Amino acid sequence: MFDIPAQEESDRHRLVESPAASVILITYNHEQFVSEAIDSIVKQKTEFPYEILIGEDGSTDNTLEICRAYQKEFPDRVRLIASGQNVGMHRNIARLWCRCRGKYVAFCEGDDYWCDDRKLAKQVAFLNRNPAFSMCGAYTDRIRLEPGRGWRVFGRLGPAQTRRKYDVADLIPLYSFHTSSIVLRKEMIRFPSWFWQVYCADRPLYILCAEKGPVGFIPECMSVYRSHDGGVWSPRLRGDKARKSIQLFEHLDEHLRFGYHRLIRRTLGRMIWSYAAESLLAGDLRTGRRLLGVSLWYSLPFLPAPPVVLSKAFVRLYFPFMKKF
């Protein structure tokens, strides 16, 4: 897995020695956004040295040239890893992970950015004070481009309930943290082989952390997630989303030795129910019928929705001529 095409562009003699933290930034075709992402990291105010590893994944636009300019401007901190070909998200993360020198690892994608110039300092300080904790998260604002108004906040990502710490059972049912918000303790992570096969890296990464120790939380907004048409997950077909979600959670179930089996099945049922509902709203009754059946299979004996809502869904999916129901 780690034998991946890569060439590092950095001046080894000028890099900071013994960085306390490494920041992984993966980017692909982000020429409109990547400068804001890198700026938000190089402007961090810390009492310790840190490094930035940029994984440029064979972009077809001007992203690589922008990243090269930052590497030349900040040769003490920026390490550029590229190969001239697209290796995909997981392989891109892998070739950066194995090069990280820091005790702590943070993440940011090329179309997101950090909005707190003390983010890294605050989260590293939290983990230093709490050596048993595996990871520390924070809030993330969601933004989207609105015609004539620019980028506007339309929501916030974070835990449903504010606590000092979270465990595996807390992190299975909900997407509690955005990748850009976390800092983790590198020594606690050992990636299983299936990790590199599932559709996403963030959710399983958090659960791998929580296995090793509690996950902490600082209730402040420290990063921004940009929602736009160039995203990877949103454009996928709903049936494909369901298949990939099932693959992920079945791997997690086996990895956790079925200790959270009921919770995982209930979570899967609710996720697939949401895809069925999206299909219904989009008028894709065929996909909606199929996903509703799959949702019930994983949800039983717990329903993914109140009986009245479920009854209405059945009527809409199987008897669409009954418009007034």
Side-chain angles (χ1 to χ4, degrees), residues 123 125-139 159-167 170-171 177 185 213-219:
Q123 292 182 295
F126 177 95
L127 291 171
N128 281 336
R129 290 194 306 269
N130 300 279
F133 280 60
S134 61
M135 187 181 100
C136 178
Y139 285 123
Q161 296 181 338
T162 302
R163 301 177 189 167
R164 182 173 177 272
K165 62 182 180 180
Y166 302 83
D167 58 21
D170 295 319
L171 299 182
F177 304 101
R185 202 180 300 274
V215 170
F217 178 63
I218 298 176

Side-chain angles (χ1 to χ4, degrees), residues 41-93:
I41 301 170
V42 298
K43 291 178 180 178
Q44 289 291 298
K45 299 175 181 177
T46 66
E47 296 75 35
F48 51 82
Y50 66 96
E51 63 179 0
I52 307 165
L53 294 91
I54 301 176
E56 203 293 313
D57 201 12
S59 297
T60 58
D61 60 9
N62 200 41
T63 300
L64 178 58
E65 287 68 28
I66 295 171
C67 294
R68 278 180 173 150
Y70 277 95
Q71 190 280 319
K72 291 177 181 178
E73 185 178 356
F74 301 97
D76 59 325
R77 276 175 284 172
V78 175
R79 301 168 62 189
L80 176 60
I81 291 86
S83 62
Q85 65 186 84
N86 185 271
V87 300
M89 177 187 69
H90 286 79
R91 290 163 66 83
N92 197 8
I93 292 173

Side-chain angles (χ1 to χ4, degrees), residues 96-220:
L96 300 181
W97 179 269
C98 66
R99 289 173 168 81
C100 289
R101 297 180 295 153
K103 179 180 179 180
Y104 302 109
V105 179
F107 298 83
C108 187
E109 294 190 29
D111 52 349
D112 303 324
Y113 61 93
W114 294 352
C115 58
D116 184 340
D117 62 9
R118 294 283 295 170
K119 174 189 186 298
L120 204 54
K122 290 175 182 178
Q123 292 182 295
V124 166
F126 177 95
L127 291 171
N128 281 336
R129 290 194 306 269
N130 300 279
F133 280 60
S134 61
M135 187 181 100
C136 178
Y139 285 123
T140 299
D141 275 342
R142 302 173 68 188
I143 63 172
R144 64 185 171 201
L145 188 61
E146 296 183 2
R149 303 183 69 191
W151 291 94
R152 312 288 291 186
V153 175
F154 71 100
R156 177 165 284 187
L157 296 171
Q161 296 181 338
T162 302
R163 301 177 189 167
R164 182 173 177 272
K165 62 182 180 180
Y166 302 83
D167 58 21
V168 173
D170 295 319
L171 299 182
I172 287 174
L174 299 172
Y175 183 74
S176 298
F177 304 101
H178 188 260
T179 320
S180 62
S181 79
I182 70 161
V183 174
L184 58 81
R185 202 180 300 274
K186 187 172 188 281
E187 65 183 1
M188 289 191 170
I189 299 298
R190 296 293 180 271
F191 291 110
S193 59
W194 58 261
F195 179 88
W196 308 109
Q197 302 166 15
V198 295
Y199 76 91
C200 67
D202 47 9
R203 199 161 185 163
L205 178 61
Y206 307 158
I207 292 173
L208 291 176
C209 283
E211 270 193 295
K212 302 299 183 181
V215 170
F217 178 63
I218 298 176
E220 300 175 21

Side-chain angles (χ1 to χ4, degrees), residues 192-194 211 246-261 264:
S193 59
W194 58 261
E211 270 193 295
I246 290 169
Q247 180 194 38
L248 166 61
F249 279 92
E250 289 188 345
H251 276 303
L252 282 172
D253 202 9
E254 184 175 358
H255 176 82
L256 296 169
R257 299 181 180 181
F258 306 100
Y260 300 87
H261 184 65
I264 284 175

Side-chain angles (χ1 to χ4, degrees), residues 278-299:
E278 288 176 13
S279 300
L280 173 61
L281 291 173
D284 184 0
L285 300 186
R286 181 178 179 181
T287 301
R289 292 185 188 113
R290 179 164 53 85
L291 294 182
L292 181 60
V294 175
S295 171
L296 290 175
W297 166 257
Y298 280 102
S299 299

Side-chain angles (χ1 to χ4, degrees), residues 231-277:
V232 175
W233 180 246
S234 297
R236 288 187 180 275
L237 297 175
R238 286 169 286 271
D240 188 36
K241 288 181 179 180
R243 283 190 296 273
K244 291 185 179 299
S245 298
I246 290 169
Q247 180 194 38
L248 166 61
F249 279 92
E250 289 188 345
H251 276 303
L252 282 172
D253 202 9
E254 184 175 358
H255 176 82
L256 296 169
R257 299 181 180 181
F258 306 100
Y260 300 87
H261 184 65
R262 287 174 60 86
L263 179 58
I264 284 175
R265 286 188 67 91
R266 185 165 66 242
T267 300
L268 257 179
R270 287 174 174 168
M271 289 180 71
I272 299 171
W273 165 263
S274 71
Y275 302 143

